[in-house]
DNA sequence: GTCTATAGAACGATAGAC
DNA sequence: GTCTATCGTTCTATAGAC
């Protein structure tokens, strides 16, 4: 037995991997995927550039892993926010949570949502948009059953809302100032949009 | 003067370029960008693979040019459909035209809308979604001015509608049957969604 | 004769099969 | 994990335009 990976070594490798993802996540908040070069990520994590390839096959795999790590948290946050209340409450909470979190780290949100990057990231975007859709579809379906909302195809409407929220935020999040309308009314507008779209008559949110 | 590119030669080159884009567009309808290999495009256009590089720097440039060529037509079709009528008419026409055309060539529409491909194509997606947004924002703005719609931020709402339509169609267009709900109610659902979302009270479309 | 465009093979990289 | 098929890209020889 020439070399056995001890717990101690394994722990250091795990820590290194975590540090790399953390470093990439930080860079994402500063310059988006454009700033996430392998060299920059390695430097910030305090490891050699070549060591990155111990943990990730290539840049694409790193980009995908960072995306997944962050977006899983985001989906969970939205899932938690949507857990209770009337259908109107729950759908407003989705918009508010998603948009609020995005606007707190606009460059990162833009990177996750829209920045042209890599087909692997595109594929994950499709995957996680389905996850958001399912969360919203639940809320709408429950609202229909409870009689708070008119009958409707919850899956289609939920998908439409996911697209609506995402696309409406692309402008305000855009890294180039020219595309950014600096619109403080975006979130309220989106909430009104969403509630109307699902046929909510709940006046508490108007 | 040893060799000067004559009109005759230029015409043949132009025809070849057109044939390549046409071939790629056809392949897009069959297998999406996955089927658009340089070799396949060249073969269908009846030219050698190497000759593709006379017209396009690389595969990415070809993919982008094909995208642009098709989507310009699509935007024009939507622009024409949205030209007249009440705000409700115009917004329903957008949904109907966009979705109707997409569903006639689902594989191609999926390729243009969502297939993970290449950052260059992603960038064009962003660009043309803005074009759609502006077309819709016009209709909404006019509706507000005419008093047919409640006051609202037309740009944000239009962007949301673009995202909603696109995302709601990703499912029905998906090339993998498992993701496809075969939902004949998608378009009517989307029209209702859009009209409610903009606050239309026009009952002609309900 | 000189220059260009084309065909087709060659090369290096990558991904999928086994 | 290795092997193979395939893809994007480049290179070279030929055919054709001037």
């Amino acid at each position: 037995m020439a070399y056995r990976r001890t717990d101690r070594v394994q722990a250091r490798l795990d820590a290194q991997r975590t540090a790399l993802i953390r470093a990439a996540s930080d860079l994402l908040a500063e310059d988006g995927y454009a700033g996430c070069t392998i060299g920059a990520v390695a430097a910030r994590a305090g490891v050699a550039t070549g060591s990155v390839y111990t943990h990730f096959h290539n840049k694409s795999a790193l980009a995908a892993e960072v995306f997944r790590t962050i977006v899983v948290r985001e989906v969970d946050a939205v899932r938690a926010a949507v857990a209770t209340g009337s259908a109107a409450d729950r759908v407003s909470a989705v918009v508010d949570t998603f948009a609020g979190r995005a606007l707190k780290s606009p460059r990162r949100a833009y990177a996750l949502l829209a920045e042209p990057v890599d087909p692997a990231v595109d594929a994950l975007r499709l995957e996680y948009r389905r996850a958001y859709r399912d969360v919203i579809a639940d809320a709408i379906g429950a609202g229909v059953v409870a009689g708070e909302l008119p009958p409707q195809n919850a899956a289609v409407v939920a998908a439409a809302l996911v697209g609506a929220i995402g696309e409406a935020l692309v402008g305000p999040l855009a890294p180039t100032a020219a595309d950014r309308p600096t619109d403080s009314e975006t979130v309220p507008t989106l909430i009104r949009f969403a509630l109307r779209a699902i046929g909510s008559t709940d006046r508490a949110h108007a």
Side-chain angles (χ1 to χ4, degrees), chain A residues 33 40 150 159:
Chain A
Y33 274 111

Side-chain angles (χ1 to χ4, degrees), chain A residues 11 40 44 55 59 71 77 84 88 113 116 130 136 147 151 153 161-162 170 179 184 190 198:
Chain A
R44 183 178 282 240
H55 302 280
K59 187 180 175 180
V71 175
T84 59
L113 212 54
R130 282 207 302 274
I136 297 176
N153 185 322
L161 281 180
V162 171
V170 167
D179 297 330
S184 71
L190 256 182
I198 62 177

Side-chain angles (χ1 to χ4, degrees), chain A residues 40-136:
Chain A
V41 173
R44 183 178 282 240
V47 309
T49 305
S51 304
V52 175
Y53 293 91
T54 311
H55 302 280
F56 306 98
H57 274 34
N58 48 41
K59 187 180 175 180
S60 172
L62 171 59
E65 196 58 32
V66 174
F67 182 97
R68 186 176 269 120
T69 304
I70 302 175
V71 175
V72 161
R73 263 205 313 269
E74 294 302 310
V75 173
D76 283 346
V78 168
R79 214 192 305 273
V82 80
T84 59
S86 69
D89 290 335
R90 297 171 75 186
V91 169
S92 330
V94 170
V95 178
D96 211 36
T97 304
F98 187 101
R101 293 174 69 92
L103 292 166
K104 270 190 191 134
S105 192
R107 187 64 188 88
R108 178 190 289 165
Y110 182 82
L112 299 171
L113 212 54
E115 186 179 354
V117 192
D118 183 293
V121 171
D122 283 347
L124 289 177
R125 285 184 179 133
L126 288 174
E127 185 181 328
Y128 283 96
R129 282 205 288 259
R130 282 207 302 274
Y132 281 117
R133 180 200 65 188
D134 293 343
V135 168
I136 297 176

